[in-house]
Amino acid sequence: MPHTPRGRRAPRPLTLAAAGALVASATVALPQFTPDASAATTLRGYADARGVRIGAAVADGPLRTESAYTTVLNREFNSVTAENAMKWDALEPSRNSYNWAAADRLVNHAAAHNQGVRGHTLVWHSQLPSWLANGNFSASELNTILKKHIDTTVGRYKGKIYSWDVVNEAFNEDGSMRNSVWQSKLGTGYIANALRWAHAADPSARLYINDYNIEADNAKSDGLYNLARQLLAQGVPLQGIGFQAHFVVGQLPASMKANLKRFSDLGLEVSITELDVRIPLPASSAELAQQSADYKTASENCLGVPRCAGVTVWGITDKHSWVPGTFNGYGAALPYNESYGAKPAYTGLSNGLNPQA
Ligand code: 9MR
């Protein structure tokens, strides 16, 4: 357990009312959690004091093998997301044969360290097992397969996951629906069905639609906004929108806060779910300073909006990040460097979480 600095009292668990009083803008009951007795000056200390989540995407390899990784994870974060372990290809590599080991490991780790879990992700076009991607199933078979996946996965972790990314990356950049196996066989109705099934399996989990390039007010976020409005009007259990927030240094969209607010004004929770800020390598000190400002602005853009439930960073350390493998010549996207030293980005994020900074 992280220590409490001498002379500083461990914070008492916040009641929802107290959390609400601290976050003047929070007009909705946030998922309840008990703050850790960590030093107030950690990321999680600041987040606890505001009644919000600060999360990290966790990779199973370093979780099992690197004590520096778990030390930072446990000290700094009050929420975790499985970077890959809860994706369909990881959970059901062959039909009807499940592998829960890595997902269970993370859920158990979180429980042992007083961290909440964001579930990621139930319905996605990517990382499907080949039996499913190449199965050429009929619409009715696919519907049955999807319902079973949601019942089984959400049911297994019932009461242990505070938010699920039920649907991930369903939109094209122009705001139309992406032509996935789900969309092409089942039509847009798969989204409402997935949300209803997930809600039936765990009524207390907050159910999200999650996507990238929706941080700005643009064609893609317009498409999502219109769908979200329709779903709410139909009484579909949609509770939140996840803004992935994979940014390039110095390129945060100016409309981000207003865009998050329009979703929040629908009565939805908003969260940053996959924040990172990539830099062309090698990163200069000016770029690291800009990255720090970007982390601060991004987190403030969410926390400054009513119903922001928190911010999750897509990793902890530049040692383990998807960025260099995907964007040639880019990296250094996370708050800790490859040796687990806190970068200026850490301070930016910390200041973004701390209303006194
Ligand atoms: O970080 C994840 C990486 O390890 C995987 O190889 C990749 C596979 O698609 O998925 C990455 O996570 C993605 C997340 O699940 C959805 N949004 C984009 C993330 C970065 O690609």
Side-chain angles (χ1 to χ4, degrees):
M1 285 294 272
H3 70 287
T4 303
R6 254 180 307 150
R8 192 191 294 274
R9 231 166 17 92
R12 273 183 303 121
L14 285 182
T15 61
L16 281 181
L22 281 167
V23 189
S25 59
T27 55
V28 74
L30 294 168
Q32 193 159 15
F33 63 98
T34 312
D36 189 81
S38 55
T41 53
T42 60
L43 302 179
R44 78 181 287 177
Y46 291 127
D48 284 350
R50 294 180 80 157
V52 299
R53 298 287 183 178
I54 178 69
V58 174
D60 186 54
L63 180 70
R64 279 187 288 112
T65 58
E66 285 186 40
S67 64
Y69 185 89
T70 50
T71 298
V72 175
L73 176 65
N74 301 342
R75 187 184 65 222
E76 301 290 340
F77 297 93
N78 64 15
S79 175
V80 296
T81 304
E83 186 173 3
N84 289 300
M86 290 187 190
K87 293 172 181 174
W88 203 320
D89 64 347
L91 292 182
E92 196 185 5
S94 339
R95 195 168 183 185
N96 296 322
S97 166
Y98 291 88
N99 181 359
W100 302 105
D104 283 358
R105 198 159 25 242
L106 182 61
V107 170
N108 293 338
H109 181 96
H113 296 90
N114 196 17
Q115 293 160 322
V117 183
R118 294 198 85 256
H120 176 84
T121 179
L122 296 167
V123 199
W124 192 20
H125 65 277
S126 182
Q127 283 189 272
L128 294 173
S130 58
W131 66 264
L132 173 50
N134 306 323
N136 204 22
F137 294 107
S138 70
S140 115
E141 286 172 317
L142 213 48
N143 219 42
T144 305
I145 288 169
L146 182 56
K147 180 172 188 307
K148 179 182 172 229
H149 177 70
I150 291 174
D151 290 350
T152 308
T153 309
V154 178
R156 181 179 183 86
Y157 298 116
K158 183 177 180 196
K160 297 183 174 170
I161 291 203
Y162 70 91
S163 290
W164 266 109
D165 289 334
V166 176
V167 177
N168 194 36
E169 302 176 358
F171 286 85
N172 292 317
E173 298 302 293
D174 68 1
S176 60
M177 303 310 298
R178 183 197 287 269
N179 187 26
S180 65
V181 61
W182 311 114
Q183 182 71 34
S184 62
K185 285 272 173 71
L186 304 177
T188 308
Y190 82 87
I191 295 179
N193 281 335
L195 289 162
R196 289 192 183 105
W197 294 328
H199 182 67
D202 186 354
S204 66
R206 316 284 290 167
L207 304 183
Y208 274 62
I209 296 177
N210 190 52
D211 217 322
Y212 62 92
N213 288 352
I214 56 161
E215 295 78 22
D217 187 337
N218 59 24
K220 192 173 187 178
S221 62
D222 284 351
L224 173 55
Y225 182 81
N226 291 331
L227 177 71
R229 265 205 326 204
Q230 283 168 25
L231 292 170
L232 293 173
Q234 291 159 11
V236 174
L238 169 69
Q239 282 103 24
I241 303 294
F243 299 81
Q244 292 187 6
H246 294 293
F247 291 128
V248 177
V249 66
Q251 295 184 25
L252 259 62
S255 58
M256 181 176 171
K257 186 171 175 185
N259 183 51
L260 267 61
K261 183 169 182 302
R262 71 173 168 151
F263 285 91
S264 162
D265 287 346
L266 292 177
L268 291 166
E269 241 174 67
V270 294
S271 292
I272 293 179
T273 52
E274 306 185 12
L275 178 61
D276 52 22
V277 181
R278 59 187 180 270
I279 299 180
L281 296 175
S284 68
S285 55
E287 286 165 325
L288 291 169
Q290 179 63 51
Q291 182 186 51
S292 175
D294 291 344
Y295 266 94
K296 180 169 190 283
T297 305
S299 46
E300 287 175 344
N301 282 345
C302 188
L303 294 170
V305 161
R307 301 183 182 84
C308 172
V311 175
T312 287
V313 181
W314 205 242
I316 295 172
T317 157
D318 293 335
K319 186 175 178 187
H320 303 292
S321 163
W322 72 296
V323 167
T326 305
F327 299 100
N328 202 13
Y330 283 81
L334 291 167
Y336 284 84
N337 67 24
E338 301 200 357
S339 326
Y340 292 95
K343 293 159 60 181
Y346 172 88
T347 308
L349 181 57
S350 172
N351 289 345
L353 293 167
N354 175 9
Q356 261 82 55

